[in-house]
Amino acid sequence: MTEKILVIGEARDGELRNVSFEAIAAAKKINADGEIVGVICGNEDLKSQAQEMIYYGVDRVVTIQHDNLETYTSEGYGQALLTVINEESPDGIVMGHTSAGKDLSPKLATKLETGLISDAVALESDGDKVQFTRPIYSGKAFEKKIITSGLTFVTIRPNNIPALERDESRSGDISSKDVDVTDIRTVIKDVIRKASEGVDLSEANVIVAGGRGVKSADGFKPLYELAEVLGGAVGASRGACDADYCDYSLQIGQTGKVVTPDLYIAVGISGAIQHLAGMSNSKVIVAINKDAESNIFNVADYGIVGDLFEVIPLLIEEIKKI
Ligand code: FAD
């Protein structure tokens, strides 16, 4: 395929999310010899983010700057991106399977009257057809799909398709596009964020997740300490969130976040099917549970049967020695 693929970059707090770089790598795999064009929306100058997209492999970038694009809305971003998509008429579109990606991609696909492969975790190209792999039935099975007509429109799950090496010697054109995004019904007036510490859960390489076995909000303190020494983030089961030990923004599972870190440490989590739906594709799973019969050990690569309040301090001590 020697055509044109558009990669929709997603910025947060002035920086592109890692999944945008992973989307570039996916676009390169789809379209090894063709043109890769980045597109980014925002309300401020987007040159540095555009430059980063070039360092990670796109050939040129179109930026869309408008006051109404400060915060994501499907209407505003939809209008802005649709204008660029129609002008560029790409053969494919790749974006992250993030909250915004999940919201925006079906809307764009509908407007473009094309299909969509969502939540791809892998892709293989034979130079002619591209085959995408995506989880189904809450991660219990995978299906492989190819696109036979229309655009190659795909969202990719964060942390599955490695980004290319950042290369500062790469150069490319950055152009800005004026798009009128004033005709929208929803304007975000204010965003009130929960205080979140450290690494973003959905893009973390290491996650230490606590369950009801952690027993209290205070019981989460050793988990935060372990996450810190490992440079990771803290997550939780719904059991822990329901018990008010932590905020629902940490919930992992079928009705929470879906994560695929390199290392997932499940602490005091029984391994209910709804929890496994959000983490069972992690590369290495370690379970710490005092019940040797707990279901979490059925998906764990390494298991420690013991009291988490004894095991975690020992782990922290040993890791600090490295
Ligand atoms: P429990 O099942 O109570 O397990 C606690 C574990 O801690 C036990 O295995 C116990 O042996 C261990 N333990 C206790 N003390 C210690 C100790 N001192 N040291 C070591 N181990 C200890 N759940 C999710 O997580 N995510 C979801 O998105 C989600 N979505 C759901 C959607 C629906 C529609 C429904 C019906 C349920 C959903 N659930 C979800 C809930 C799910 O079914 C389980 O109830 C929940 O995951 C249990 O949480 P838990 O493993 O922390 O608690």
Side-chain angles (χ1 to χ4, degrees), residues 210-215 236-242 245 251-257 264 266-278 288-296 304-311:
R212 213 161 2 219
V214 173
K215 294 193 175 65
S237 70
R238 178 155 145 191
C241 301
D242 283 345
Y245 302 161
Q251 186 184 319
I252 291 163
Q254 187 182 315
T255 44
K257 293 198 167 84
Y264 189 91
V267 183
I269 292 177
S270 59
I273 190 79
Q274 296 90 351
H275 186 76
L276 302 187
I288 304 170
N289 198 301
K290 66 178 184 186
D291 175 9
E293 301 299 316
S294 186
N295 189 47
I296 194 73
I304 304 173
V305 179
D307 186 325
L308 69 96
F309 297 104
E310 289 168 19
V311 174

Side-chain angles (χ1 to χ4, degrees), residues 12 17 97-100 102 119 138 157-158 194 196 199-204 207 209 233-238 241 247-261 264 273-282:
R12 186 192 279 176
R17 301 186 61 173
H97 196 69
T98 58
S99 304
K102 285 182 220 176
D119 203 15
S138 300
R157 186 182 282 198
K194 292 241 165 85
S196 67
V199 187
D200 175 8
L201 195 54
S202 58
E203 294 194 337
I207 293 177
V234 170
S237 70
R238 178 155 145 191
C241 301
D247 191 81
Y248 278 103
S249 59
L250 300 191
Q251 186 184 319
I252 291 163
Q254 187 182 315
T255 44
K257 293 198 167 84
V258 175
V259 295
T260 27
Y264 189 91
I273 190 79
Q274 296 90 351
H275 186 76
L276 302 187
M279 47 62 75
S280 60
N281 291 319
S282 304

